[in-house]
């Protein structure tokens, strides 16, 4: 299954209000597929063996002309793609920050030593945490796959520097929920054991 189809299938498991905050992977892919056709500056792989680059072609563009045309085209399209991807990343990252804060507050409530949360409340807090982790994973994967397609079709290698640039965003740097996860699991396990021994639900 291609990632676009996989992503759409996985989105079905998220609340309706989350849907508009996913990376628009199909739109990014469509831009690359329609705009970057025959623009690769990686000429060694852009031409088949049956279409060799002649030293002095009798017809058609010269090598320097062809390279110049492609460099100019990629030079226009790559920044446009980056701006498009930036918008998608900012949209997804902003939603992550909002949901992360609400999720963290809910987890802290059930982990409060003075509270006696029910098993269902602990399970709900854990489910919310896992849903957010899944949201980040799916969107980050969409970003990396879109960058990989860009690099393949353009011949420019921007994936690594782009990801290094994104490394300072909250969806990557935030670790507070990861630190709370073991404590939440331990509290849930202990509560289930209490209930099993007659300690209530």
């Amino acid at each position: 299954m291609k990632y676009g189809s996989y992503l759409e299938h996985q989105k079905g498991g998220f609340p309706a209000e989350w849907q508009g905050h996913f990376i628009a992977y199909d739109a990014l892919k469509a831009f690359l597929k329609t705009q970057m056709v025959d623009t690769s500056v990686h000429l060694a792989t852009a031409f088949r063996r049956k279409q060799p680059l002649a030293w002095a072609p009798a017809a058609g563009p010269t090598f320097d002309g062809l390279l110049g045309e492609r460099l100019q085209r990629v030079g226009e399209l790559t920044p446009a793609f980056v701006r498009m991807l930036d918008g998608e990343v900012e949209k997804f990252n902003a939603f992550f920050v909002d949901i992360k804060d609400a999720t963290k507050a809910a987890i802290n409530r059930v982990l409060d030593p003075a509270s006696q949360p029910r098993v269902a409340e602990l399970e709900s807090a854990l489910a919310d945490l896992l849903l957010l982790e899944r949201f980040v994973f799916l969107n980050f994967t969409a970003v990396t796959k879109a960058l990989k397609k860009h690099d393949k079709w353009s011949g420019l290698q921007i994936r690594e520097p782009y990801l290094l640039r994104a490394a300072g965003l909250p969806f990557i740097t935030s670790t507070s929920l990861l630190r709370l996860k073991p404590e939440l699991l331990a509290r849930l396990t202990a509560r289930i054991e209490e209930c099993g021994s007659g300690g209530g639900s």
Side-chain angles (χ1 to χ4, degrees):
M1 180 184 292
K2 293 187 176 180
Y3 190 72
S5 299
Y6 175 77
L7 180 59
E8 288 302 311
H9 176 73
Q10 292 297 313
K11 284 169 63 177
F14 287 80
E17 60 269 23
W18 291 47
Q19 299 298 316
H21 301 281
F22 278 84
I23 295 289
Y25 176 75
D26 282 343
L28 292 166
K29 182 179 175 181
F31 174 86
L32 294 171
K33 192 171 184 179
T34 58
Q35 300 297 316
M36 285 197 160
V37 175
D38 296 330
T39 62
S40 177
V41 295
H42 194 271
L43 300 184
T45 58
F47 293 88
R48 300 287 183 262
R49 289 182 179 274
K50 64 182 180 181
Q51 297 174 305
L53 292 170
W55 180 259
T62 60
F63 180 76
D64 62 308
L66 177 63
L67 184 58
E69 289 173 6
R70 290 190 173 224
L71 284 170
Q72 180 178 359
R73 187 70 176 141
V74 170
E76 295 168 352
L77 291 173
T78 291
F81 169 75
V82 168
R83 289 190 293 270
M84 186 177 180
L85 183 57
D86 279 357
E88 292 298 315
V89 170
E90 288 170 0
K91 173 186 70 176
F92 141 62
N93 184 66
F95 185 72
F96 165 80
V97 171
D98 289 342
I99 296 298
K100 179 206 70 170
D101 291 342
T103 302
K104 184 178 178 180
I107 293 173
N108 282 328
R109 280 196 296 272
V110 297
L111 291 180
D112 186 341
S115 69
Q116 289 296 322
R118 292 173 296 157
V119 169
E121 291 174 314
L122 290 161
E123 288 178 334
S124 177
L126 179 60
D128 288 345
L129 173 56
L130 295 176
L131 190 71
L132 185 55
E133 286 184 346
R134 185 73 176 159
F135 177 74
V136 171
F137 171 77
L138 290 169
N139 281 285
F140 184 70
T141 302
V143 171
T144 60
K145 285 188 173 291
L147 287 166
K148 182 178 180 180
K149 286 190 178 298
H150 168 274
D151 292 0
K152 177 182 177 181
W153 289 338
S154 71
L156 295 180
Q157 304 301 305
I158 69 167
R159 179 170 60 167
E160 184 175 347
Y162 189 96
L163 293 177
L164 285 172
R165 173 173 166 253
L169 294 175
F171 78 89
I172 292 179
T173 62
S174 180
T175 59
S176 57
L177 290 178
L178 291 177
R179 292 195 298 268
L180 289 173
K181 187 176 180 181
E183 188 178 352
L184 179 58
L185 287 167
R187 187 75 183 270
L188 175 59
T189 300
R191 198 75 181 99
I192 290 173
E193 290 175 352
E194 289 174 9
C195 293
S197 61
S201 60

